[in-house]
Amino acid sequence: MFPICRSITGEGLRETLRMVGSEVPLELVETPTGVTVLDWTVPNEWNIRAAWIEAPDGQHVVDFANSNLHVLNYSAPVDATVPLEELRKHVFTHPRDPDLVPYRTSYYVEQWGFCMSRRQLDALPAGEYRVFIDSTLAPGSVSYGEAVFSGATDEEVLITTYACHPSLANDNLSGVATLTEVGRALAAQPRLRYTYRLLWAPGTIGSICWLARNRDRVERIRHGLVVSCVGDPGPFTYKCSRRGDAEIDRAVAHVLRSTPGSRVLDWFPYGGDERQFCSPGFDLPVGAFSRTPADQFPQYHSSADDLELVRPESLGESFATLMDVIDVIESNGTYVNLSPYGEPQLGRRGLYRGIGGGSSEEMALLWVLSMSDGTMSLLQIAERSGLDISDLRHAADRLEETGLLALAGVVSGQPTHASD
Ligand code: ZN
C-alpha cells in the first residue's frame, strides 16, 4: 500500500480499501460530491496521474513518480512555465529539517503546489521552470470501507482508522494494517458478545459521512476506539473519550497498566476522528489509541515517516494490546453476590483451600464477593483491587457455578449485562 497516492477522495483511497477488502469482508460506501453531511459538504473527488517540475536545463527537479509527497495533496492541475520566484510561492518545505520532504494538503482551498526539501529548493538556479500537474478535481464521491462482525447482541463496538494519507507509513498505514489484522482476528472468534464495526475512512470527512449516514445506529455503540500511528517503537498513548469515565477508558487503562511507559491522557478537542464521534451531539464513548501521537514524533508528516520507522514488533504489540482491550470489554460484567449477609462459607463449596494467607485466586474470589452489589463491574473491581480482570473473571465464573453470584439485571433467567 505504501506507494499508492491516497487522499480524502479518489482512486488511491479506493485501491487501498480494496486491498483491505481482500483480507476482511469490507463494504465500500460512497457518498457523492455535493451531499450535505452534518455541517459539511462532500468535496470534489481528486485524482492524479502525473506531476513534475522541469528545470531550465530540462532535468526533472521533482517527480510524482518517485514520491507522491512531492505534490501538494489535493492540488489543482497546472501546466505552465514560471520564473523561479513564482515557483517558490508554490513550493512547501519542512519547517525544521532541511533534508525532509513535507506532506502538505490543501483540501478546501483550491491551489497548485509541490513539496521538496529546503536544501533542494535553495539550490535551484534562477530561470524558467515548467510546472506540470495532471490532476482532476471533479464530482465523484468520498469512499470509506466498513466491516461488521456480528456478536450475540446488537450492541456495538466501533473501531476506526483513517486511510487518507499518501506514502506515510506510521501515519497511517500502521493503523490501516493493524485494524485489518484485528478484523481477521475477530472473524476467527467463535463467539463474540458485541457486534464489531470496523471502519477505514478518510480523516474527518469520512467519519462525518459515516455519522451522517448512521444517525439511527449510533445509540447502539457501547465502546469505540480510533486507532492510528501504531507502528513506531514509542510507548502507547491513550486519549480518553470526552466522557472521560467510559468503560472503554477504564478498559484501555487497565490493559496499559502492565505496559511500562504507557500514558493515559484526558480528553482534548484536537486530534483525529474522535473529535467527530465525541462531538457533544453524539458524545460517543470513543477514545484514541496510538503509540507516539501523530504530531509528536519527529518524522511526522514528512518523507522520514517511511517503512524504516514502522517496526514489525511494534505493529505486533499494538495488535496484541488492542485484542487485550477487546478481551476486557468482552469479559467485563456487573454481578450481584447472592449470599451477601456475612461471608459465604467457601470451604464447604470447594472454593477455599484453607492454606491461610490467601492465594491470588482466593483474593480474586474475596474481591468479587465483597464488591459485587450490582453496581460495580469487574473492571472497577480490578481498578480497586489491583488484580487482573482475567483473574476476577475466572473467580466470577466459579462463584456463578456454585450459585453464589449472578449477573446484575438477570430477569427471568435472561442475563442482560449491565456494563454501563
Ligand atoms: Zn497525519
Side-chain angles (χ1 to χ4, degrees), residues 103 162 165 171 300-301:
Y103 159 56
Y162 52 87
H165 286 34
D171 176 28
Y300 169 72
H301 280 195

Side-chain angles (χ1 to χ4, degrees), residues 16 61-62 108 113 261 275 312 335 344 357 386:
T16 302
V61 176
V62 294
Y108 300 102
R275 292 170 310 174
Y335 291 85

Side-chain angles (χ1 to χ4, degrees), residues 375-395:
T375 68
M376 198 175 281
S377 70
L378 292 183
L379 201 43
Q380 288 167 298
I381 301 172
E383 281 172 4
R384 185 117 178 232
S385 66
L387 295 175
D388 197 88
I389 190 170
S390 60
D391 294 332
L392 296 172
R393 171 85 246 174
H394 181 64

Side-chain angles (χ1 to χ4, degrees), residues 9 15 28 112 160 185 334 391 402-403:
T9 61
E15 189 182 347
L28 235 68
W112 65 267
T160 81
T334 302
D391 294 332
T402 54

